[in-house]
Amino acid sequence: DTAVSQTPKYLVTQMGNDKSIKCEQNLGHDTMYWYKQDSKKFLKIMFSYNNKELIINETVPNRFSPKSPDKAHLNLHINSLELGDSAVYFCASSQLGTGSYNEQFFGPGTRLTVL
Amino acid sequence: AQSVSQHNHHVILSEAASLELGCNYSYGGTVNLFWYVQYPGQHLQLLLKYFSGDPLVKGIKGFEAEFIKSKFSFNLRKPSVQWSDTAEYFCAVNAGTGRRALTFGSGTRLQVQP
């Protein structure tokens, strides 16, 4: 059983379009994350939700809007896509709380290509 | 703010050579430290982690890392690499407990030649 899954795995789209990426985890974790990996492989946090509450919102254009319908799902919607949005987007989850160490489990990634 | 430095950007080794990848972080408090590996075209997998206790931690596939608090370092080692170790390696830090994401280093690309 896949612990953290993302759909789609590949996404090719035109500039200006709106697209969504979905993430689901079956680990029972209370916290989920979106990371962006650029062409140089650098990974950077974008957002994090804990129990459906937004707890991390890094400097990301407001064209990016995360949504967490429940603890097991965290979706990422991107409006008006730009060339610079091309990257691999990774979802991750972890269990936070007293005494936790925030070991994160990653999904397979979504490779977004904006033409 | 915490930051992580990986000074080796690209390392090329022959099979059976020993490996050491450097990782330094900047944060004065309690940290949790991780090494992740990303094989070509795949997602990140945890190699090993340090939370507390013995500063020498052993991970999967024969990897180990040593936490040296005085040097703010968490270097990754393997005595004898294999071709299948070819991958990107990321060091990551989480500043203690709390609602914080991981801060990643820029990664080290390891290429092992048969």
Side-chain angles (χ1 to χ4, degrees):
Chain A
D1 254 354
T2 305
V4 183
S5 59
Q6 294 179 228
T7 53
K9 192 167 182 183
Y10 299 97
L11 185 53
V12 181
T13 188
Q14 300 286 333
M15 264 197 316
N17 284 351
D18 303 338
K19 290 292 178 187
S20 291
I21 307 171
K22 296 186 176 182
C23 178
E24 177 181 0
Q25 55 96 2
N26 63 7
L27 298 166
H29 288 162
D30 61 4
T31 306
M32 296 183 73
Y33 310 80
W34 277 112
Y35 288 86
K36 179 180 179 181
Q37 186 177 46
D38 63 23
S39 58
K40 295 183 180 178
K41 301 282 188 179
F42 186 64
L43 274 152
K44 193 165 186 230
I45 183 68
M46 299 174 70
F47 303 103
S48 177
Y49 272 75
N50 173 256
N51 288 318
K52 301 198 297 175
E53 177 192 347
L54 181 66
I55 59 170
I56 295 175
N57 186 355
E58 291 293 297
T59 309
V60 175
N62 57 14
R63 297 181 294 104
F64 290 78
S65 52
K67 281 189 174 54
S68 180
D70 54 59
K71 282 197 316 182
H73 296 85
L74 179 61
N75 303 325
L76 183 65
H77 188 76
I78 316 170
N79 288 327
S80 303
L81 278 154
E82 300 178 357
L83 292 176
D85 298 332
S86 295
V88 181
Y89 293 84
F90 286 100
C91 177
S93 74
S94 70
Q95 180 66 28
L96 291 188
T98 305
S100 75
Y101 301 105
N102 198 15
E103 178 181 343
Q104 295 185 18
F105 295 79
F106 284 80
T110 296
R111 182 174 293 276
L112 171 64
T113 304
V114 182
L115 304 174
Chain B
Q2 57 198 25
S3 66
V4 181
S5 297
Q6 290 182 244
H7 305 294
N8 316 105
H9 296 295
H10 188 191
V11 173
I12 302 173
L13 294 173
S14 298
E15 274 192 313
S18 65
L19 169 72
E20 180 159 1
L21 301 182
C23 173
N24 288 90
Y25 64 93
S26 64
Y27 185 74
T30 303
V31 289
N32 301 323
L33 299 156
F34 307 85
W35 274 98
Y36 283 87
V37 60
Q38 186 177 26
Y39 297 104
Q42 294 191 27
H43 65 288
L44 289 114
Q45 300 171 43
L46 184 67
L47 268 182
L48 47 78
K49 60 200 178 197
Y50 172 80
F51 298 147
S52 63
D54 189 343
L56 184 63
V57 292
K58 295 194 183 298
I60 60 171
K61 304 187 182 190
F63 286 92
E64 65 178 32
E66 186 176 12
F67 170 53
I68 304 179
K69 190 174 181 180
S70 61
K71 294 185 178 180
F72 298 89
S73 70
F74 189 56
N75 293 353
L76 181 71
R77 300 196 290 249
K78 186 171 184 179
S80 175
V81 294
Q82 300 172 313
W83 177 78
S84 58
D85 293 325
T86 294
E88 194 89 22
Y89 291 81
F90 294 93
C91 181
V93 169
N94 171 231
T97 57
R99 298 178 169 183
R100 291 187 179 275
L102 294 176
T103 298
F104 282 88
S106 53
T108 296
R109 184 177 165 222
L110 172 64
Q111 192 177 338
V112 180
Q113 296 174 333

